Amino acid sequence: MVRYQSLSALFRASRRLTSPATCFSVRQFSSSLLLPKTTPPRYFPFSSSISRFYSSSSSPSPSVRPPKSAGSNGDEEDTFEYKTTDDVEVIEDWEEEEDEEVESYLGDGGDGGGIVLRDVPWGEKVLSIAAEVLKQSEEELELFAFKTSPRGYIYVRLDKLSNEYGCPTMDKLEEFSREFKKRLDDAGAEKVIPEDLALEVSSPGAERLLRVPEDLPRFKEMPMTVSYVEETNSRKVVKTAVFLLESIDAESDNCVWKLADVKENRDPESKGRPLSRKQKDLRITLPFTDHKKINLYLD
């Protein structure tokens, strides 16, 4: 059976709980290092409660298997307690992604999407297992990002095409995680992959980087934070503004942007009044190659 960094599944809202583009994640571990809190329920727009599974064992050693009990059919069953809490602490020994402090880029296996296997010998196999699980799912889910670590960690980010923000529900992430874990267990028992792996399943959220021009039509109705290159006095400088996509000209490889009516674009002295007519009529045409970075805008 595949052993995880803990046999707990922590479902938590990501960094931006108050945003409509909330990103959920499911983590699988191999020892119970998380203690539930008894804080009163908190509510966030467009987020759901945080639930988790945790083992009754508190052994911190990842090499110790969880306690088992015999089921009615004679098979071994995990002895888990299933509880729900609205506030949990993330265990400290989980391997955060090594490039977390480095600026994201397209294809990095994280916020930039793409597949990064880091030359681990079992990477292609676990990727194919994930693809099989997605293929059999009835949901409109796709792999946004997939990354493996030499230390035995698997990071998966699932994109739901029919969702405005691309975020699957917590239940769907849990469902994928359960099936993926089961198949990893089977492959580990057959010695096809290592038995000591850790898994994190999440949604991209608003931090995702958007590809130009492929991803732009999908989010055309949403404000985007756009960093772009502009030539000023024979010098190229990088500027950032919040835009709405006006159009894409595939023949000339240009995007046409207009200012979004958000506080970042308003005159600080206007006391919250909307954009002026001049600002609303402003259009900026940028070649595809002059776009440095685009994210969904979080108010």
Side-chain angles (χ1 to χ4, degrees):
M1 181 179 184
V2 175
R3 297 193 299 272
Y4 294 91
Q5 183 62 23
S6 124
L7 274 178
S8 318
L10 168 63
F11 310 117
R12 66 182 178 85
S14 71
R15 292 167 263 185
R16 302 183 183 274
L17 278 174
T18 55
S19 80
T22 296
C23 164
F24 301 119
S25 68
V26 179
R27 285 183 173 184
Q28 303 279 2
F29 304 98
S30 70
S31 65
S32 179
L33 301 181
L34 290 173
L35 297 179
K37 291 185 177 181
T38 56
T39 54
R42 297 184 300 170
Y43 298 96
F44 301 95
F46 301 94
S47 69
S48 63
S49 63
I50 302 169
S51 34
R52 73 170 211 204
F53 310 109
Y54 65 93
S55 168
S56 57
S57 168
S58 59
S59 171
S61 172
S63 62
V64 178
R65 291 183 181 272
K68 297 284 184 180
S69 63
S72 58
N73 59 357
D75 296 333
E76 286 187 331
E77 295 180 341
D78 293 336
T79 55
F80 290 143
E81 293 182 32
Y82 293 81
K83 295 196 175 182
T84 300
T85 179
D86 292 277
D87 195 0
V88 293
E89 292 181 357
V90 181
I91 64 171
E92 298 298 331
D93 65 344
W94 176 263
E95 178 201 61
E96 294 296 341
E97 299 185 39
E98 297 173 7
D99 298 332
E100 186 173 5
E101 300 301 325
V102 179
E103 186 175 357
S104 300
Y105 58 91
L106 291 175
D108 63 3
D111 289 338
I115 296 173
V116 178
L117 301 180
R118 295 180 175 176
D119 295 324
V120 296
W122 43 270
E124 291 286 352
K125 182 59 180 178
V126 295
L127 175 61
S128 67
I129 294 174
E132 290 171 4
V133 176
L134 281 178
K135 186 177 180 180
Q136 295 183 9
S137 173
E138 297 180 356
E139 291 292 308
E140 293 179 286
L141 299 179
E142 287 189 356
L143 275 180
F144 172 78
F146 190 95
K147 181 163 64 174
T148 57
S149 159
R151 290 179 58 190
Y153 291 78
I154 305 171
Y155 300 95
V156 182
R157 298 195 187 192
L158 297 180
D159 190 10
K160 184 171 183 178
L161 301 181
S162 60
N163 180 269
E164 181 181 9
Y165 302 96
C167 293
T169 65
M170 209 178 261
D171 288 342
K172 294 305 177 183
L173 291 179
E174 175 190 345
E175 183 180 310
F176 173 88
S177 182
R178 285 181 183 277
E179 181 61 24
F180 192 22
K181 173 189 177 298
K182 178 180 179 297
R183 299 196 186 199
L184 290 174
D185 287 341
D186 293 342
E190 296 171 0
K191 307 300 182 183
V192 177
I193 63 174
E195 290 187 311
D196 197 7
L197 297 176
L199 169 65
E200 176 181 296
V201 179
S202 64
S203 57
E207 290 87 359
R208 72 164 76 201
L209 299 184
L210 303 183
R211 296 170 299 171
V212 180
E214 295 92 331
D215 294 334
L216 301 184
R218 177 181 174 187
F219 301 103
K220 183 177 180 180
E221 304 303 320
M222 300 176 61
M224 306 178 209
T225 302
V226 181
S227 293
Y228 60 98
V229 175
E230 182 176 275
E231 188 168 339
T232 304
N233 297 327
S234 299
R235 294 178 58 247
K236 290 187 176 182
V237 296
V238 177
K239 295 187 175 182
T240 300
V242 182
F243 291 136
L244 285 169
L245 182 65
E246 174 82 1
S247 64
I248 296 175
D249 187 342
E251 292 185 1
S252 60
D253 290 344
N254 287 329
C255 289
V256 180
W257 299 94
K258 60 183 178 181
L259 288 175
D261 193 1
V262 297
K263 61 183 180 180
E264 282 80 357
N265 292 335
R266 297 171 191 152
D267 186 342
E269 298 181 0
S270 67
K271 298 181 180 180
R273 289 195 297 271
L275 298 180
S276 66
R277 172 62 63 181
K278 182 178 180 180
Q279 289 175 308
K280 290 180 179 179
D281 292 341
L282 178 65
R283 297 295 182 269
I284 296 178
T285 300
L286 295 174
F288 292 166
T289 54
D290 281 358
H291 296 80
K292 300 293 290 183
K293 180 179 179 181
I294 302 180
N295 303 92
L296 298 179
Y297 170 75
L298 292 179
D299 194 353

